[in-house]
């Protein structure tokens, strides 16, 4: 009923939007919307119109018919539309008793990175970090406690706070995801850390849009030399700057093509750059 789960034993921590997930042994408690598979966490989509006479309304999402229903005279609203992630258009075709039609079109953008207004997603962990997973059994190290709290402040903005404490270090960060329907989802996060070796900070900026036929994304992350977080074995190996970009095009029958580029800049080792090009098509 509450869609929450208590986990005892080995588990994987919730890293938030900027952290790193680690395996640990202990206690984990938080929301689990998977207990109700049909529950939608992201903001629902709706569209409204007005009928002069009793009419039949056909709902098209990206030119695909998803429902047909009758409405009485007067204003009406159709909510909880079966929309998947990404951008597109909702089109209503309203046909009255005299055969007259009116067409109402509205663009939409849905993202699973957002929570609908008032919805809360949280996770808390307490235990010991597991080392050498898959190599050595029952190898547990430093104690760990962390917490992640996300809340849909509105249907366009979801805020997040994530904190983690481990032996000798503390890290706290906050930020959120904001939806601009015509553009996509903008993400912005800031984190601060304190440890025996000093203080550090991290900043993350991102933009992502999934639509048909074009989709794109860009993410950039900066970290100071003293920044540390859970799951970081060697602080000096953490990249000072990470950039990633992707662009894809999906055709009707000729398949889809995508390109991506990732760059990591380090302070004490060689930089890393990876570019990928992919093509996929249906063979039957």
């Amino acid at each position: 009923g509450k869609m929450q789960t208590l986990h005892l034993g080995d588990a994987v921590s919730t890293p938030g939007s900027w952290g790193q997930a680690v395996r640990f042994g202990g206690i984990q408690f938080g929301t689990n919307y998977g207990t109700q598979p049909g529950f939608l966490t992201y903001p629902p989509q709706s569209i409204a119109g007005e009928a002069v006479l009793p009419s039949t309304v056909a709902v098209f999402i990206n030119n695909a018919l998803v429902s047909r229903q009758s409405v009485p005279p007067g204003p009406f609203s159709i909510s909880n539309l079966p929309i998947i992630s990404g951008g597109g258009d909702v089109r209503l075709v309203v046909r009255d008793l005299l055969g007259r039609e009116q067409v109402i079109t509205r663009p939409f953008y849905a993202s699973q990175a957002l929570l609908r207004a008032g919805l809360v997603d949280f996770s808390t962990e307490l235990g010991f970090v597991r080392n050498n997973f898959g190599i050595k059994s029952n190898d547990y190290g430093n104690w760990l406690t962390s917490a992640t709290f996300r809340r849909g402040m509105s249907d366009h903005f979801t805020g997040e706070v994530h904190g983690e404490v481990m032996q000798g270090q503390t890290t706290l960060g906050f930020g959120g995801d904001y939806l601009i329907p015509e553009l996509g989802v903008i993400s912005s996060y800031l984190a601060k850390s304190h440890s025996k070796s000093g203080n550090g900070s991290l900043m993350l900026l991102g933009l992502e849009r999934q639509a048909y036929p074009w989709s794109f994304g860009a993410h950039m992350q900066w970290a100071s030399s003293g920044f540390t977080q859970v799951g970081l074995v060697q602080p000096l190996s953490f990249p000072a700057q990470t950039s990633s970009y992707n662009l894809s095009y999906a055709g009707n029958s000729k398949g889809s093509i995508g390109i991506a580029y990732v760059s990591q800049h380090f302070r004490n080792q060689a930089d890393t750059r990876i570019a990928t090009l992919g093509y996929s098509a249906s063979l039957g």
Side-chain angles (χ1 to χ4, degrees):
K2 293 183 178 181
M3 292 182 285
Q4 297 174 350
T5 295
L6 175 65
H7 196 126
L8 304 177
D10 279 7
V12 178
S13 67
T14 301
S17 298
W18 51 265
Q20 298 188 48
V22 296
R23 294 182 180 272
F24 73 100
I27 302 174
Q28 184 180 52
F29 177 69
T31 51
N32 182 5
Y33 294 116
T35 58
Q36 293 188 17
F39 185 81
L40 295 180
T41 59
Y42 53 86
Q45 301 291 326
S46 63
I47 187 169
E50 185 173 357
V52 179
L53 299 173
S55 305
T56 300
V57 178
V59 182
F60 295 84
I61 297 179
N62 293 336
N63 295 322
L65 179 65
V66 296
S67 71
R68 192 187 302 272
Q69 55 187 284
S70 299
V71 296
F76 63 87
S77 177
I78 299 177
S79 58
N80 296 323
L81 297 174
I83 290 176
I84 59 175
S85 295
D89 294 297
V90 179
R91 180 164 54 93
L92 296 185
V93 179
V94 184
R95 181 189 295 268
D96 63 20
L97 294 176
L98 301 179
R100 296 175 299 187
E101 285 188 355
Q102 62 169 320
V103 179
I104 304 171
T105 303
R106 185 178 70 84
F108 72 87
Y109 191 88
S111 173
Q112 295 186 358
L114 300 174
L115 297 174
R116 67 190 189 193
L119 192 64
V120 170
D121 185 12
F122 75 94
S123 179
T124 56
E125 295 93 16
L126 175 63
F128 296 89
V129 177
R130 184 168 184 175
N131 301 319
N132 299 311
F133 177 76
I135 300 175
K136 184 178 180 181
S137 298
N138 302 319
D139 185 6
Y140 296 94
N142 293 332
W143 60 268
L144 159 73
T145 179
S146 64
T148 305
F149 182 86
R150 290 175 56 85
R151 187 180 190 276
M153 310 305 294
S154 69
D155 284 347
H156 288 76
F157 177 69
T158 296
E160 175 186 306
V161 177
H162 174 74
E164 48 194 37
V165 180
M166 198 167 67
Q167 185 173 348
Q169 66 183 62
T170 303
T171 308
L172 177 65
F174 64 94
D177 303 302
Y178 183 75
L179 171 64
I180 301 177
E182 299 79 9
L183 183 61
V185 176
I186 296 178
S187 303
S188 177
Y189 291 90
L190 178 65
K192 294 283 187 178
S193 69
H194 173 74
S195 64
K196 296 179 180 179
S197 59
N199 301 327
S201 59
L202 176 143
M203 184 173 64
L204 184 150
L205 293 174
L207 170 63
E208 184 173 358
R209 177 174 177 81
Q210 297 181 2
Y212 184 85
W214 290 98
S215 297
F216 62 87
H219 296 83
M220 299 190 69
Q221 178 179 289
W222 301 269
S224 65
S225 58
F227 182 77
T228 185
Q229 61 182 176
V230 170
L232 190 60
V233 179
Q234 297 179 352
L236 294 179
S237 66
F238 195 82
Q241 179 179 341
T242 301
S243 305
S244 64
Y245 310 93
N246 64 274
L247 177 68
S248 63
Y249 176 83
N252 289 325
S253 58
K254 297 181 180 181
S256 60
I257 186 171
I259 58 176
Y261 176 77
V262 178
S263 172
Q264 289 184 316
H265 172 67
F266 297 88
R267 292 183 174 86
N268 63 333
Q269 62 188 60
D271 295 347
T272 301
R273 298 180 180 89
I274 301 175
T276 61
L277 171 66
Y279 173 79
S280 62
S282 176
L283 300 180

